[in-house]
């Protein structure tokens, strides 16, 4: 049963990561901001390999920031 919930969470995180990548790619922001957001997505992807629940929480925060127009400063 726990394995089924892990697989469900994995599918959810994968779908949301795909959505997040699309949103970041289409944002009308300076390239430095886009790169900073892309790095955040890479971190979430790396975390997902070891701690899926933490990756889901990080992705939730990132998506909320995108929804609210809060972007990191670019380099």
């Amino acid at each position: 049963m726990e394995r089924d919930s892990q697989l469900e969470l994995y599918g959810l995180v994968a779908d949301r990561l795909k959505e997040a990548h699309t949103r970041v790619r289409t944002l009308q922001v300076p390239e430095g901001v886009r790169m900073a957001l892309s790095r955040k997505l890479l971190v979430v992807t790396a975390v997902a390999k070891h701690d899926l629940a933490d990756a889901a929480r990080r992705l939730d925060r990132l998506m909320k920031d995108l929804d609210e127009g809060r972007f990191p400063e670019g380099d």
Side-chain angles (χ1 to χ4, degrees), residues 17-63:
L17 271 171
K18 185 177 178 180
E19 176 190 347
H21 277 278
T22 299
R23 287 184 63 186
V24 167
R25 188 174 54 248
T26 60
L27 281 174
Q28 300 296 317
V29 294
E31 189 60 27
V33 173
R34 186 180 331 282
M35 289 174 57
L37 289 167
S38 293
R39 283 191 296 271
K40 285 181 175 249
L41 287 170
L42 288 173
V43 168
V44 172
T45 302
V47 169
K49 294 176 184 178
H50 305 286
D51 188 342
L52 199 52
D54 185 34
R57 285 188 295 274
R58 288 172 181 243
L59 187 54
D60 284 342
R61 282 192 306 268
L62 178 60
M63 295 297 277

